[in-house]
Amino acid sequence: MTQYETAVARYFEAWNATGPEARAKAVAAAWTEDGDYTDPLAEARGHERLAAVIAGAQEQFPGHEFRLTGAVDGHHHMARFSWELVSTADGSAPVAATDVITLAEDGRIRSVLGFLDRVPTTG
């Protein structure tokens, strides 16, 4: 597994971790202490805020998990990958996105820039 694939695997462990303690541990393993996340709907810096954003996404989409779609593409200290938020009940995926991450020297994520490719429509 490449350093990029390892970082992305830890990223998904954090997004799929349930419970405050497991989530905090997974966030700390995935991101640097001052790591950040930015997408069109959320901005967070630091482990506590990152964990709160993840908890909020889990509350908004109960019974869903984040899954990698396709391969991780990386060079230097950057990687990009796509993912879907998938219902564990019926396999539907209301959200899809592409993220670009920057890695620190220790292999943890320093920053994430997320681009939403598909979001639920409101009726």
Side-chain angles (χ1 to χ4, degrees), residues 28-118:
W31 270 275
T32 60
E33 290 77 9
D34 64 343
D36 63 57
Y37 176 89
T38 305
D39 74 15
L41 304 175
E43 241 183 311
R45 177 179 298 278
H47 290 173
E48 188 175 309
R49 291 294 310 137
L50 290 162
V53 166
I54 292 169
Q58 291 175 351
E59 289 170 13
Q60 186 176 358
F61 293 96
H64 287 71
E65 65 183 19
F66 292 83
R67 296 183 189 166
L68 180 67
T69 59
V72 176
D73 181 28
H75 65 83
H76 295 83
H77 291 291
M78 297 178 290
R80 69 177 173 167
F81 56 95
S82 295
W83 55 266
E84 290 182 323
L85 183 60
V86 179
S87 167
T88 57
D90 65 13
S92 63
V95 180
T98 300
D99 290 354
V100 176
I101 62 174
T102 303
L103 301 179
E105 291 297 323
D106 67 2
R108 289 187 297 162
I109 298 168
R110 182 179 309 282
S111 69
V112 178
L113 297 175
F115 295 86
L116 299 174
D117 301 320
R118 180 176 62 242

Side-chain angles (χ1 to χ4, degrees), residues 9-21:
R10 287 193 309 252
Y11 177 79
F12 284 109
E13 287 172 16
W15 279 96
N16 290 320
T18 56
E21 189 174 308

